[in-house]
Structure formats: C-alpha cells, structure tokens
Amino acid sequence: MTEISADYPGTDGGDTRVLPLPAMKNFRLALNVAACDGLPLVVGVGAKETSGSSSGSGEVRSLEEIRSALVPLAFSDSLAGKFHYYATDDPGELAAVKSYRGQRGLFLIAPDAYGLEGEVVSQWTGTAGSRTAAAGAAEPATSANSIAGELLEKAEAWQQASKSHNQHVRHGRQNRIEWESEIPVTDAEALRAQGRK
C-alpha cells in the first residue's frame, strides 16, 4: 500500500471548493444511511434558481450556494465523518421529517432508528437573520461557515444509539418495517430470510 500511495501523493490543505459535496442520491437514502451509521444528517434546502438569489447578508439560498457552502464543512478536519450531508431544491423530499415546514436553509436532522423518518434538531433558515434550534434560540446564523462551531458542539454531544442487530431486525419485523431496495433482491437465501416467496 505504501508503494501504491506514493504514486498518488495528493496535496496538503487542498482547495475543498473544487470537491463535490459528499451526498447521497436522494433524501430517502441519505436519511436511511444516516440512521444505519448512527449519525445526524445536515440537509441544505435551496431555491431552484442558481443566480441572483443571495440577499447580500451572507444568507445561503440557492441550491448551488448551499452545496458550495457545505463542502468546506464536510471536509473540515473537525467535522469530517461526524455528519452525513444532502442538498435539494425540493422541500417535498423532506415530508418524512417532523417539524419541517418547507423552509429554505440548513437543517440538522436526527433520523429515527430505521431511517424512515427524522426530526429537525436545529435549523438555520435565514429568515430575517433568524436562527431556530430545538434546544433554544440564539442570533443569527445563516451561512454554513457561521454554523461550523455549532455543528461541532452538536457532534460532540450526539448520543449514538447502540443497536443490537437481532433486536433491531426483530423489532422491525414485528412492526412490519421494510426497506424497499432500489436494486431488486434476487438472492434466494436473502429472499427466504425476508420471508418472501
């Protein structure tokens, strides 16, 4: 591995602005993966338009701006690996999130045990410079860079739920919770285990 990695030295302190946001294909998958990993999900909801949408106050509003603002957070040394990320211009994707009301902005979402629903823990909507959090409100934070410190605090305070695989599966079956895979399950043993014919 040392020999191979020597061929790809990389750069220290590379420009994260040229990197894409490490995000899932859609919100449903992002919420599910966050639940599986026991991590909170940072979601940016932007406007469809990509130009002229900034208010001049540092507020992040377009989908393009949301993605660009989240990239440095995702790759920062202090926050890397502590959250999953997703960005969208369709508020309807977040229909399974409690207390989400269709606003644009940045949202910290706690997934449920099965990644089928979520709950807004904190939000930075930028409406008139406001910031709302589930555990109290403070002024103001609307750009991704301005919330980095708060995200670090949330990451350090995050209580990852411990799961027992057998108990988790048993509870899911008892409550008829199923995950619909995008790729059809064709393995006969897996189908038998799921109780399908």
Side-chain angles (χ1 to χ4, degrees), residues 152-160:
L152 184 57
E153 287 176 21
K154 297 285 184 190
E156 290 172 353
W158 182 257
Q159 297 292 321
Q160 187 173 2

Side-chain angles (χ1 to χ4, degrees), residues 31-32 34-36 98 110-119 163 177:
L31 189 63
N32 185 262
C36 290
K98 297 173 188 171
D112 72 356
Y114 294 92
L116 299 175
E117 295 181 339
E119 186 165 354
K163 293 180 186 177
I177 297 171

Side-chain angles (χ1 to χ4, degrees), residues 84-131:
H84 283 294
Y85 297 87
Y86 184 69
T88 184
D89 59 8
D90 179 8
E93 280 194 83
L94 280 69
V97 178
K98 297 173 188 171
S99 67
Y100 176 69
R101 304 289 176 252
Q103 320 92 307
R104 283 194 304 252
L106 301 173
F107 302 87
L108 182 61
I109 297 172
D112 72 356
Y114 294 92
L116 299 175
E117 295 181 339
E119 186 165 354
V120 174
V121 175
S122 291
Q123 64 186 35
W124 300 269
T125 57
T127 50
S130 68
R131 175 223 182 260

Side-chain angles (χ1 to χ4, degrees), residues 16 39 71-83 85 144-145 147-157:
T16 58
L39 294 174
V71 166
L73 296 177
F75 289 100
S76 74
D77 290 339
S78 60
L79 294 175
K82 296 186 191 268
F83 300 96
Y85 297 87
N145 289 336
I147 67 168
E150 286 185 69
L151 284 177
L152 184 57
E153 287 176 21
K154 297 285 184 190
E156 290 172 353

Side-chain angles (χ1 to χ4, degrees), residues 16-38:
T16 58
R17 290 175 296 179
V18 299
L19 298 172
L21 179 66
M24 301 295 157
K25 177 180 176 182
N26 56 46
F27 178 74
R28 174 181 171 265
L29 184 59
L31 189 63
N32 185 262
V33 171
C36 290
D37 290 345

Side-chain angles (χ1 to χ4, degrees), residues 56-80:
S57 64
E59 185 175 332
V60 176
R61 296 194 314 187
S62 77
L63 180 58
E64 183 179 299
E65 290 171 316
I66 291 274
R67 284 188 179 128
S68 296
L70 288 176
V71 166
L73 296 177
F75 289 100
S76 74
D77 290 339
S78 60
L79 294 175

